[in-house]
């Protein structure tokens, strides 16, 4: 049992951001399941999220939700958020989470060049290249960009009407918005490419469109990352100054909460500037907004480092508690540990994590999106 009981108790205090009040500081990280045939979330999806809310999670962030455009995502078993049946089913998911005292945010997702084109639909991206610099799909025309921003806005508006407590924009891991940030995938010459300020322009326009659609008090979360699905060593900000340049336009456009995705929450982001401060800590420092930390919480290995057949064992969370006490983050998102045990948060609260059995990647039904 952790010695710093006071710090643990602090993690169970509420947090209010705009119209959202999270009952504690724990979130469920967004994890793609491909379990919604035809894009329609069923009763099993509602039960999946309900169990995590019942297990103590204060904020559920859904798996990535495809924008209502065929080029936005594939396969179609990934849920969408358009159409009467889809809206009705999401309403049941939201009601199930709310019934357990939790809150829920919809993560809005456009896969960009990382979209699988097995169905014959051409992926679209800033420059028609994927995260390895290979030609894939086609580059978006400048006059197409407002339409994509409006897709995000429409999806956010629908999410609010459904009853979601917030939306998260997926700007991480090498997907569309992140492809604008990253030099390797953005070679545009039309004002949306070039220096970091120009590469941030379109994601900021998306944020502004979403903000206009949902109003001033509805929380907008923005997820970003250094690492990409095809390159764990990638970087879009090499130092704190660049990080501030990246985030400032998003703050001005209307982001309320940042969700910097890392594979290990405790790794220093810029060790030449601070030997301990994490990406979450730097994000809060330069942006001045609430931050969600994430990355191998409660587990021994970082995300996507497991070998086949290896059971990942639980790890102490003292470092996490230290980071929270130091003000590095406001909410912590948990992924794989919640797949292994939906009641992980309640176990932490009750000092019962010794009974946590670990995580077997071979039997898990989800992966990070």
């Amino acid at each position: 049992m952790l010695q710093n009981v006071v710090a643990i108790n602090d993690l169970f205090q509420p947090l209010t951001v705009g119209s959202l009040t999270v009952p504690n500081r724990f979130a469920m990280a967004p994890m793609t399941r491909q379990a919604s045939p035809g894009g329609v979330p069923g009763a099993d999806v509602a039960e999946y999220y309900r169990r995590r809310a019942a297990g103590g999670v204060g904020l559920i962030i859904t798996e990535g939700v495809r924008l209502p455009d065929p080029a936005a995502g594939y396969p179609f078993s990934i849920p969408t958020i358009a159409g009467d049946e889809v809206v009705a089913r999401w309403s049941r998911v939201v009601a199930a989470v709310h019934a357990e005292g939790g809150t829920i945010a919809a993560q809005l997702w456009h896969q960009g060049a990382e979209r699988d084109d097995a169905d014959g639909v051409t992926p679209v991206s800033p420059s028609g290249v994927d995260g390895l610099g290979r030609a894939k799909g086609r580059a978006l025309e400048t006059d197409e960009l407002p339409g994509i921003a409006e897709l995000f806005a429409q999806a956010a508006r629908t999410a609010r009407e459904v009853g979601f407590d917030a939306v998260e924009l997926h700007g991480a891991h090498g997907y569309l918005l992140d492809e604008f940030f990253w030099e390797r995938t953005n070679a545009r010459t039309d004002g949306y490419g070039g220096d970091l300020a120009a590469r941030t322009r379109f994601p900021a326009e998306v944020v502004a469109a979403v903000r206009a659609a949902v109003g001033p008090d509805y929380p907008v979360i923005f997820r970003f990352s250094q690492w990409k699905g095809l390159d764990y060593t990638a970087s879009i900000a090499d130092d704190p100054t660049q990080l501030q340049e990246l985030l400032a336009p998003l703050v001005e456009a209307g982001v309320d909460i940042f969700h910097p995705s890392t594979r290990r929450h405790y790794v220093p982001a810029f060790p030449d500037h601070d030997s301990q401060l994490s990406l979450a800590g730097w994000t809060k420092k330069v942006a001045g907004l609430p931050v969600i930390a994430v990355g191998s919480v409660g587990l021994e290995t970082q995300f996507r480092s497991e070998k086949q057949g290896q059971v990942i064992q639980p790890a102490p969370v003292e470092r996490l508690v230290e980071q929270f006490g130091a003000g590095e983050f406001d909410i912590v998102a948990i992924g794989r540990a919640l797949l292994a045990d939906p009641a992980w948060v309640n176990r932490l609260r009750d000092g019962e994590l010794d009974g946590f059995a670990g995580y077997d990647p071979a039997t898990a039904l989800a992966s990070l999106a």
Side-chain angles (χ1 to χ4, degrees):
M1 186 159 179
L2 294 172
Q3 295 180 352
N4 198 342
V5 175
V6 173
I8 285 289
N9 289 341
D10 288 345
L11 282 163
F12 286 89
Q13 300 304 308
L15 174 70
T16 297
V17 179
S19 60
L20 170 71
T21 296
V22 184
N24 59 41
R25 305 309 180 91
F26 294 95
M28 181 176 183
M31 292 177 282
T32 294
R33 303 176 69 230
Q34 300 183 22
S36 297
V40 182
D44 58 326
V45 174
E47 176 62 11
Y48 170 76
Y49 289 125
R50 185 204 67 77
R51 289 183 66 199
R52 274 72 192 179
V57 176
L59 173 65
I60 303 288
I61 305 174
T62 70
E63 59 211 278
V65 176
R66 291 184 290 115
L67 298 184
D69 183 314
Y74 185 83
F76 299 131
S77 54
I78 296 170
T80 186
I81 191 164
D84 292 344
E85 183 180 8
V86 172
V87 167
R89 294 299 185 95
W90 274 126
S91 295
R92 296 175 192 175
V93 174
V94 169
V97 171
H98 286 169
E100 298 292 349
T103 60
I104 183 167
Q107 189 195 66
L108 307 181
W109 188 23
H110 192 304
Q111 296 172 351
E114 298 309 312
R115 185 198 191 280
D116 190 328
D117 57 2
D119 63 341
V121 174
T122 301
V124 296
S125 64
S127 301
V129 297
D130 68 11
L132 295 177
R134 304 172 300 194
K136 185 176 180 182
R138 67 173 181 84
L140 287 159
E141 300 292 339
T142 304
D143 61 6
E144 292 181 282
L145 299 182
I148 292 179
E150 180 57 27
L151 286 175
F152 276 98
Q154 290 174 3
R157 187 182 299 112
T158 301
R160 181 168 189 175
E161 291 170 355
V162 165
F164 281 101
D165 301 289
V167 291
E168 176 172 280
L169 308 183
H170 197 337
H173 306 159
Y175 297 113
L176 182 70
L177 298 182
D178 194 20
E179 289 167 349
F180 276 87
F181 290 143
W182 195 21
E183 284 184 299
R184 186 183 299 175
T185 48
N186 185 345
R188 299 179 71 93
T189 58
D190 62 351
Y192 290 92
D195 62 17
L196 186 56
R199 300 198 308 272
T200 306
R201 179 180 170 187
F202 179 62
E205 289 178 356
V206 169
V207 172
V210 168
R211 172 56 65 206
V214 298
D217 296 325
Y218 190 74
V220 176
I221 307 167
F222 195 96
R223 193 175 216 211
F224 73 96
S225 69
Q226 300 273 43
W227 71 276
K228 318 301 173 194
L230 295 177
D231 187 351
Y232 295 160
T233 65
S235 175
I236 52 175
D238 295 330
D239 56 48
T241 298
Q242 288 187 355
L243 182 65
Q244 188 170 27
E245 291 174 0
L246 174 78
L247 300 182
L250 304 176
V251 174
E252 184 177 357
V255 168
D256 295 296
I257 302 171
F258 281 111
H259 186 179
S261 176
T262 60
R263 295 171 67 228
R264 292 169 289 178
H265 66 87
Y266 47 84
V267 170
F270 307 112
D272 290 343
H273 296 267
D274 189 299
S275 62
Q276 292 197 9
L277 197 61
S278 66
L279 184 60
W282 275 112
T283 298
K284 188 170 182 179
K285 185 172 183 176
V286 303
L289 293 179
V291 169
I292 301 172
V294 69
S296 303
V297 176
L299 297 175
E300 285 187 348
T301 60
Q302 66 265 40
F303 175 63
R304 288 185 176 170
S305 65
E306 304 97 334
K307 296 178 181 178
Q308 188 171 7
Q310 175 187 11
V311 175
I312 307 305
Q313 298 299 322
V317 295
E318 278 89 347
R319 178 64 185 130
L320 179 75
V321 174
E322 291 174 1
Q323 290 174 275
F324 180 70
E328 290 192 32
F329 63 87
D330 302 273
I331 296 173
V332 58
I334 303 156
R336 294 171 296 159
L338 284 173
L339 300 182
D341 185 352
W344 189 92
V345 174
N346 283 345
R347 285 182 181 271
L348 175 66
R349 179 198 62 199
D350 298 337
E352 297 177 353
L353 279 183
D354 288 344
F356 176 52
Y359 165 84
D360 183 354
T363 60
L365 298 178
S367 62
L368 186 62

